[in-house]
Amino acid sequence: TVIDQAIRLNQDDFEDAVQIVCAVSLGLDAIVTRDTAGFVGSSILVLSPQDLRQQLENWKYGSRSLFFPRYS
């Protein structure tokens, strides 16, 4: 279950671990949070709202592809 997997992640913050497990199981590209420090070592990309906004602005004004570093 999600809870069991989150416990096994051994993250400092259990709620962050639940978010990681949910995001991975749903095949999401990233988690957007103001608390990026709580996701250090995460198996999924973690973006601050500012990082996401910058990527969306770049997409809107030119590149037409979002940049997710773990896929580069």
Side-chain angles (χ1 to χ4, degrees):
T1 69
V2 169
I3 301 301
D4 293 329
Q5 292 175 34
I7 291 169
R8 285 195 296 273
L9 281 182
N10 201 28
Q11 292 282 115
D12 289 337
D13 187 312
F14 178 71
E15 291 173 356
D16 292 347
V18 170
Q19 290 180 50
I20 292 167
V21 171
C22 288
V24 169
S25 69
L26 291 171
L28 302 181
D29 291 318
I31 293 172
V32 179
T33 179
R34 290 187 310 259
D35 178 28
T36 57
F39 292 86
V40 172
S42 172
S43 59
I44 190 167
L45 176 66
V46 178
L47 299 169
S48 70
Q50 296 84 0
D51 291 337
L52 179 61
R53 180 180 178 178
Q54 184 63 53
Q55 287 195 24
L56 292 173
E57 287 177 0
N58 290 345
W59 179 83
K60 181 178 178 182
Y61 295 112
S63 80
R64 288 293 180 218
S65 66
L66 295 177
F67 174 65
F68 293 112
R70 77 178 174 136
Y71 297 121
S72 308

